[in-house]
């Protein structure tokens, strides 16, 4: 490329622990040809096989290209730092009509998959694009059958925003695709959190939001439910781990199945065996029948163990009685079934340490949410502390339970939206829930690694405005949670 013109602003290579991400060079031809002619790699990709001449033309076009130019693609070459070998590439396209928005594509040579290299590369490229080129949003579109790509995007915390049906013609068939996206503010918030997360521990803990809704029937927010999932790190690999569900709002079983499909196998039906209830409001328990029965029908062969406040035993007894005919028919009829999976063991707890096993220790703390017993939980594992507020108003002493936690998953309502509520409702909300201003004050004292908003009561305020209300009085990382987000 001796005749290449001097680039407008030279792209400097990005370095990560194992990778050097640079611009393409003419010498990449054989390695790129191997990647672009691998039929397995191509299967779910929009591009077709390229011959040597096409690769050469592509490399020539990339010699003078720069990232961050509206309407143009820039292709990053992903290479190993140790050997210099080209192992894949990542393309980024800024929309011509709005260069604050981009689309990303990526390919990793098959022999280098499964080692976290694509994640490492994309992390560096996303950070570079968001910080250096002030991109606002990066979208990724993937074939719904491309499990590797889906897993990668989920692990990078891209949000799945939608699914198209037979909207793209690829390699002789109509295909369905998922649209994923990441915004700059979400990326920066999660980056701060990652920086705090201790790595290389015995366990790896994450929280998956299964339902972030309230009694308002928002189709995108199912009833309250969070899963704390703890995996064990064994010789560089993670075990499937154990899931601990907190609350069972309507939709919990289907959201768990979705999370399992996206790469959290601990949330597959047979694994749904531990449930902790914060309180007995219907938006937190209306999915309980489903959680008792459906996983059993789908071959859960273990008793469901529930830790709940006073009243849980009566609730479960009545549910089992209500579904008595269903249980009898499935057990006595022709349907293959086991005799264990529909059974429930209930422990009614008081404040204090209520559960402990090899993975986790769970402490329940009393909250103020009406006249009945209601609780929040503090999960302590080998690598993290996760606090889930349940539904509560702020009160003296509450913040003590939040201190030094890595993740604070908290209910909230908009202080601005509150002003528009009728007086009788204002009285109720203020007595049982936490406003953005109140939560900002709590978080300022507690300093959680990451504050995640759930059970959001917007009352007409936008999500961006809700987060801004918190940020006005709290400087730490905060994110407004959506169903199936994981942190
Ligand atoms: Zn609630
Ligand atoms: Zn409630």
């Amino acid at each position: 490329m001796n005749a290449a013109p001097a680039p407008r602003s030279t792209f400097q290579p990005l370095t990560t622990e194992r990778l050097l991400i640079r611009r393409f060079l003419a010498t990449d031809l054989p390695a790129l040809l191997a990647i672009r002619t691998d039929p397995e790699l191509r299967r779910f990709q929009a591009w077709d096989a390229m011959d040597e001449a096409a690769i050469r033309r592509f490399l020539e076009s990339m010699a003078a290209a720069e990232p961050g130019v509206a309407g143009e693609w820039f292709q990053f070459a992903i290479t190993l730092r140790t050997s210099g070998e080209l192992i894949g590439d990542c393309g980024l396209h800024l929309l011509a009509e709005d260069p604050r928005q981009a689309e990303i594509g990526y390919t990793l040579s098959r022999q280098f998959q499964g080692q976290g290299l694509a994640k490492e590369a994309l992390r560096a490229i996303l950070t570079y694009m968001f910080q250096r080129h002030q991109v606002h949003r990066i979208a990724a579109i993937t074939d719904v059958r491309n499990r590797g790509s889906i897993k990668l995007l989920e692990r990078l915390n891209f949000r799945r925003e939608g699914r198209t049906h037979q909207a793209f013609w690829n390699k002789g068939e109509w295909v369905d695709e998922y649209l994923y996206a990441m915004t700059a503010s979400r990326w920066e918030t999660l980056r701060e959190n990652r920086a705090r997360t201790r790595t290389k521990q015995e366990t790896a803990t994450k929280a998956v939001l299964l339902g972030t809704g309230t009694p308002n029937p928002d189709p995108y927010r199912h009833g309250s439910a969070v899963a704390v999932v703890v995996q064990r790190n064994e010789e560089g690999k993670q075990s499937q781990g154990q899931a601990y569900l907190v609350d069972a709002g309507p939709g919990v079983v289907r959201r768990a199945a979705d999370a399992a499909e996206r790469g959290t196998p601990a949330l597959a039906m047979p694994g749904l065996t531990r449930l902790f209830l914060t309180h007995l409001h219907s938006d937190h328990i209306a999915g309980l029948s489903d959680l008792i029965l459906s996983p059993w029908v789908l071959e859960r062969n273990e008793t469901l163990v529930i830790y709940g406040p006073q009243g849980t035993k009566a609730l479960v007894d009545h549910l089992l009685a209500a579904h008595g005919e269903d249980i009898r028919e499935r057990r006595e009829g022709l349907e293959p079934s086991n005799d264990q999976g529909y059974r429930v063991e209930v422990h009614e707890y008081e404040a204090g340490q209520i559960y402990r096993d090899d993975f986790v220790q769970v402490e329940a703390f009393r909250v103020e949410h009406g006249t009945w017993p209601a609780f929040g939980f503090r999960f302590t594992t080998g690598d993290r502390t996760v606090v889930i507020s349940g539904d509560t108003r702020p009160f003296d002493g509450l913040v003590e339970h939040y201190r030094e936690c890595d993740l604070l998953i908290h209910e909230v309502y908009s202080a601005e939206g509150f002003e528009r509520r009728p007086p009788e409702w204002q009285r109720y909300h203020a007595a049982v829930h936490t406003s953005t201003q109140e939560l900002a004050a709590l978080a300022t004292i507690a300093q959680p690694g990451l504050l995640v908003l759930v059970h959001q009561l917007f009352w007409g305020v936008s999500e961006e405005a809700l987060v801004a209300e918190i940020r006005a009085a709290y400087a730490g990382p905060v994110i407004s949670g959506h169903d199936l987000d994981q942190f």
Side-chain angles (χ1 to χ4, degrees):
M1 293 297 103
N2 44 9
R8 287 154 290 196
S9 67
T10 314
F11 165 64
Q12 294 298 315
L14 312 172
T15 4
T16 69
E17 197 186 328
R18 294 173 290 177
L19 302 170
L20 177 78
I21 299 158
R22 55 163 172 77
R23 63 165 59 249
F24 270 100
L25 306 170
T27 47
D28 289 323
L29 197 144
L32 187 59
L33 187 64
I35 290 171
R36 283 290 187 269
T37 49
D38 180 341
E40 271 296 303
L41 274 184
R42 218 166 54 229
R43 180 160 177 234
F44 297 126
Q45 300 276 16
W47 42 266
D48 286 312
M50 287 166 83
D51 62 14
E52 205 177 312
I55 300 266
R56 186 161 289 131
R57 277 196 303 279
F58 164 77
L59 291 173
E60 276 163 18
S61 74
M62 277 301 124
E66 289 296 329
V69 179
E72 289 184 15
W73 279 94
F74 182 81
Q75 216 78 12
F76 298 87
I78 304 170
T79 66
L80 287 181
R81 273 173 71 174
T82 45
S83 62
E85 192 174 352
L86 179 80
I87 63 166
D89 65 314
C90 171
L92 211 120
H93 174 239
L94 266 57
L95 304 193
E97 62 276 21
D98 186 351
R100 293 170 303 177
Q101 301 210 44
E103 186 188 336
I104 199 168
Y106 39 83
T107 309
L108 197 71
S109 174
R110 259 191 295 157
Q111 67 183 108
F112 294 101
Q113 292 181 5
Q115 302 165 37
L117 290 164
K119 187 172 157 188
E120 196 172 315
L122 260 67
R123 264 192 187 163
I125 293 166
L126 286 160
T127 300
Y128 167 76
M129 291 308 296
F130 285 132
Q131 291 186 347
R132 181 68 63 86
H133 295 285
Q134 285 82 47
V135 171
H136 160 68
R137 183 176 188 273
I138 297 178
I141 294 170
T142 182
D143 190 303
V144 299
R145 298 164 299 177
N146 191 348
R147 302 188 68 85
S149 177
I150 291 166
K151 218 165 156 182
L152 173 64
L153 293 168
E154 293 282 343
R155 287 195 172 164
L156 286 164
N157 283 103
F158 272 67
R159 209 169 246 164
R160 187 186 289 178
E161 297 184 339
R163 175 183 177 136
T164 61
H165 297 272
Q166 300 190 13
F168 182 56
W169 177 258
N170 196 24
K171 310 203 167 48
E173 60 180 343
W174 289 109
V175 299
D176 295 0
E177 293 178 310
Y178 289 130
L179 168 66
Y180 277 89
M182 173 65 68
T183 59
S185 72
R186 181 177 171 86
W187 185 253
E188 282 309 312
T189 304
L190 292 172
R191 235 165 62 82
E192 282 180 58
N193 180 47
R194 267 200 302 276
R196 267 186 58 134
T197 303
R198 289 149 285 175
T199 50
K200 302 194 167 53
Q201 302 279 319
E202 264 175 46
T203 57
T205 304
K206 66 178 173 182
V208 184
L209 308 184
L210 298 178
T212 57
T214 63
N216 302 325
D218 180 337
Y220 295 102
R221 294 183 181 274
H222 287 199
S224 268
V226 177
V228 176
V229 179
V230 190
Q231 293 170 285
R232 207 183 284 288
N233 290 324
E234 286 157 349
E235 292 154 11
K237 286 209 160 206
Q238 285 179 347
S239 67
Q240 175 175 308
Q242 176 68 45
Y244 305 87
L245 302 176
V246 174
D247 288 343
V252 60
V253 171
R254 275 144 190 82
R255 286 295 199 219
D258 198 348
E261 190 263 338
R262 296 185 190 201
T264 306
L267 284 167
M269 295 300 109
L272 304 181
T273 58
R274 296 283 182 279
L275 171 66
F276 297 83
L277 296 176
T278 59
H279 65 300
L280 300 184
H281 260 148
S282 56
D283 53 316
H284 297 250
I285 58 164
L288 188 51
S289 297
D290 204 11
L291 184 61
I292 294 172
L293 298 168
S294 301
W296 167 52
V297 173
L298 295 159
E299 300 181 355
R300 178 182 63 204
N301 197 2
E302 250 183 85
T303 300
L304 172 63
V305 184
I306 303 179
Y307 291 79
Q310 186 193 349
T312 303
K313 180 130 187 33
L315 167 75
V316 169
D317 287 346
H318 285 100
L319 285 178
L320 288 171
H323 292 284
E325 279 304 296
D326 170 85
I327 294 168
R328 188 196 57 72
E329 178 63 20
R330 289 186 197 278
R331 289 179 66 200
E332 294 173 8
L334 283 176
E335 184 174 338
S337 65
N338 65 66
D339 194 42
Q340 203 58 41
Y342 72 91
R343 295 179 189 274
V344 183
E345 184 185 307
V346 177
H347 302 266
E348 291 190 348
Y349 65 79
E350 296 288 340
Q353 185 179 307
I354 59 167
Y355 181 86
R356 184 184 192 115
D357 66 17
D358 289 349
F359 288 107
V360 72
Q361 178 183 315
V362 184
E363 183 199 327
F365 54 91
R366 189 73 190 243
V367 296
E368 292 189 7
H369 184 58
T371 60
W372 57 358
F375 296 85
F377 296 122
R378 190 174 168 104
F379 282 74
T380 307
T381 72
D383 62 303
R384 279 178 115 188
T385 302
V386 179
V387 174
I388 297 164
S389 70
D391 285 4
T392 186
R393 69 166 169 157
F395 58 91
D396 281 350
L398 176 61
V399 76
E400 299 308 321
H401 303 289
Y402 297 170
R403 281 188 198 275
E404 312 265 304
C405 68
D406 298 292
L407 203 54
L408 175 58
I409 299 173
H410 210 289
E411 68 119 281
V412 72
Y413 67 81
S414 162
E416 191 197 323
F418 179 83
E419 297 301 324
R420 299 181 210 141
R421 300 287 290 160
E424 64 274 24
W425 277 103
Q426 285 189 346
R427 254 194 315 280
Y428 169 71
H429 295 311
V432 297
H433 291 302
T434 305
S435 74
T436 42
Q437 290 162 354
E438 290 164 339
L439 181 52
L442 287 167
T444 300
I445 301 168
Q447 294 290 319
L450 177 65
L451 171 61
V452 177
L453 312 179
V454 294
H455 201 281
Q456 300 99 319
L457 287 161
F458 295 98
W459 296 316
V461 165
S462 75
E463 186 165 41
E464 200 183 357
L466 182 88
V467 174
E469 287 177 21
I470 300 265
R471 289 213 168 115
Y474 173 56
V478 54
I479 214 157
S480 179
H482 284 219
D483 287 19
L484 293 163
D485 275 352
Q486 47 177 300
F487 303 105

